[in-house]
Amino acid sequence: MSETTTRPAVLILLGPPGAGKGTQARKLEESFGMVQLSTGDLLRAAVAAGTPAGMAAKAVMEAGGLVSDEIVLAILKDRMAEPDTARGVILDGFPRTPGQAEALDALLAEQDLAIGAAVSMEVDDAAMIQRVSGRYTCAGCGEGYHDAFKQPLEEGVCDKCGGTAFNRRADDNAETVGARLKAYHEQTAPLIAYYAGRDVLKTVDGMGPIAAIADDLGAIVKQVTA
Ligand code: AMP
């Protein structure tokens, strides 16, 4: 354990769409100064910028499928090369296939880094469709909201930054969520056994209050960085 003390922590968040990976990664950023690394966010930025990778990924993302490992790995490697990752990283939405998990192992080995923990956020699929279908974020600061569960205190005004523009993801609709859940169970869920076999798997109950889940994750971060 002590060998991880001087090296940045690498935490993987595993869970289906709507499990709360992004919400919790942002909380861990605030609490521990780690850096959230979301391949979904990086891909959406590539789509918005119209890069070749973004153009190749767009239709697959809209259909709820998985973008090729080649594209995702190239984007992730570039991001991992930025200096802020020395503060520790929370991988949100990556790896998503056994091939990506193996590529991550190789990438971390090159940098003399190790996975501190892979946390499986345990949730009910049925609730995920409702969670994902109603969610939206502040365009200014990224704070998350939900039509049924968490509206801003003042209608149309972000609680956190006062912004008045909000975004909804093109793939956050009931149909696409079904395809995304299927992709999760077929291609990503096997990683739970992969990380259990590597002795780095932790699980948290992802159905409780956001603050309680944040506490559970915070305890895991403290454990792996102690
Ligand atoms: P997310 O923001 O994690 O829900 O990802 C949104 C979409 O981006 C997914 O439905 C995939 O189409 C794509 N995506 C994000 N991360 C990955 C990944 N690691 N591998 C393949 N596709 C990904």
Side-chain angles (χ1 to χ4, degrees):
M1 268 291 145
S2 60
E3 72 186 44
T4 59
T5 50
T6 56
R7 292 184 296 167
V10 177
L11 190 77
I12 296 170
L13 295 183
L14 290 170
K21 300 183 298 294
T23 301
Q24 294 296 338
R26 283 164 51 82
K27 287 195 154 296
L28 291 172
E29 280 194 319
E30 284 170 16
S31 309
F32 295 96
M34 297 169 77
V35 175
Q36 174 191 15
L37 229 152
S38 153
T39 42
D41 284 350
L42 294 169
L43 286 166
R44 279 184 286 281
V47 170
T51 66
M55 285 180 338
K58 189 170 188 278
V60 181
M61 291 172 76
E62 279 169 4
L66 291 188
V67 175
S68 74
D69 286 358
E70 194 191 353
I71 290 179
V72 174
L73 283 165
I75 282 186
L76 181 89
K77 274 188 187 168
D78 282 355
R79 183 64 185 87
M80 284 286 283
E82 287 178 31
D84 62 347
T85 56
R87 306 200 313 247
V89 292
I90 309 145
L91 294 171
D92 158 10
F94 180 93
R96 246 171 160 110
T97 63
Q100 290 180 12
E102 282 165 23
L104 176 65
D105 287 340
L107 182 67
L108 294 178
E110 270 170 31
Q111 303 183 13
D112 196 25
L113 291 173
I115 294 164
V119 186
S120 171
M121 301 182 65
E122 312 265 295
V123 289
D124 301 333
D125 266 18
M128 294 308 103
I129 298 190
Q130 199 194 6
R131 270 199 198 175
V132 171
S133 305
R135 71 184 179 182
Y136 59 99
T137 52
C138 170
C141 71
E143 181 70 1
Y145 294 97
H146 192 281
D147 293 329
F149 309 129
K150 188 191 163 195
Q151 289 281 20
L153 297 173
E154 185 185 339
E155 199 185 330
V157 182
C158 175
D159 298 342
K160 207 160 185 188
C161 75
T164 53
F166 296 87
N167 291 328
R168 279 179 200 265
R169 280 171 46 174
D171 61 349
D172 277 352
N173 57 71
E175 269 151 61
T176 312
V177 179
R180 289 162 63 198
L181 282 170
K182 189 163 177 280
Y184 174 77
H185 287 294
E186 289 178 359
Q187 298 182 71
T188 310
L191 298 183
I192 295 173
Y194 178 82
Y195 288 118
R198 305 269 308 273
D199 254 359
V200 290
L201 183 73
K202 307 269 182 199
T203 55
V204 297
D205 175 1
M207 295 303 294
I210 289 174
I213 302 165
D215 287 347
D216 290 346
L217 285 168
I220 291 171
V221 171
K222 283 183 192 147
Q223 211 184 331
V224 301
T225 54

